């Protein structure tokens, strides 16, 4: 029997499970600019996936790459969640969030 599919599936499950808290923390500490880190890390894992000979490891690197690419989108969505008050904001950037919140509510009231 081959357990490579189960291993790749479990690794993908773990990668996705780690990705969301990573996005939340990255946005909290670094702000929206953290999307660039997710994108660059995704490119590194994508290249590793292409260059890796082992199919199972290549699959895991590919899952990691695309989870990080999804993280790029999630960073922007996380900022929207913070503006809506669903997640705590970093007090060091409260003026930034206040300005964004003002624009958001002005747009909603039109």
């Amino acid at each position: 029997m081959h357990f490579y599919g189960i291993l790749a599936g479990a690794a993908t499950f773990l990668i996705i499970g780690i990705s969301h808290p990573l996005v939340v923390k990255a946005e909290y500490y670094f702000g929206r600019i953290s999307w660039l880190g997710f994108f660059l890390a995704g490119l590194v894992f994508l290249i590793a996936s292409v260059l890796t000979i082992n199919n199972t490891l290549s699959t895991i690197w590919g899952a990691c790459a695309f989870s990080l690419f999804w993280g790029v989108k999630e960073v922007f969505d996380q900022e929207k969640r913070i503006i809506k008050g669903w997640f705590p904001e970093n007090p060091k950037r409260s003026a930034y969030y206040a300005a964004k919140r003002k624009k958001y509510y002005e747009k909603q009231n039109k």
Side-chain angles (χ1 to χ4, degrees), residues 29-64:
Y29 289 109
F30 304 110
R32 192 166 60 173
I33 194 68
S34 62
W35 76 267
L36 189 57
F38 284 98
F39 181 74
L40 293 175
L43 283 178
V44 168
F45 278 101
L46 184 67
I47 291 167
S49 176
V50 171
L51 298 178
T52 301
I53 296 171
N54 183 300
N55 285 339
T56 305
L57 197 53
S58 177
T59 302
I60 293 169
W61 293 154
C64 193

Side-chain angles (χ1 to χ4, degrees), residues 59-107:
T59 302
I60 293 169
W61 293 154
C64 193
F66 282 92
S67 290
L68 289 165
F69 290 146
W70 185 263
V72 171
K73 175 197 173 298
E74 284 297 312
V75 167
F76 293 100
D77 289 347
Q78 179 64 17
E79 184 181 69
K80 291 175 188 173
R81 292 181 204 117
I82 292 169
I83 291 167
K84 292 177 183 178
W86 297 352
F87 280 82
E89 66 184 47
N90 187 336
K92 294 178 182 177
R93 290 196 310 277
S94 61
Y96 171 80
Y97 291 121
K100 285 284 196 174
R101 204 170 280 117
K102 182 179 177 186
K103 285 182 184 179
Y104 174 77
Y105 286 117
E106 286 175 358
K107 190 176 180 181

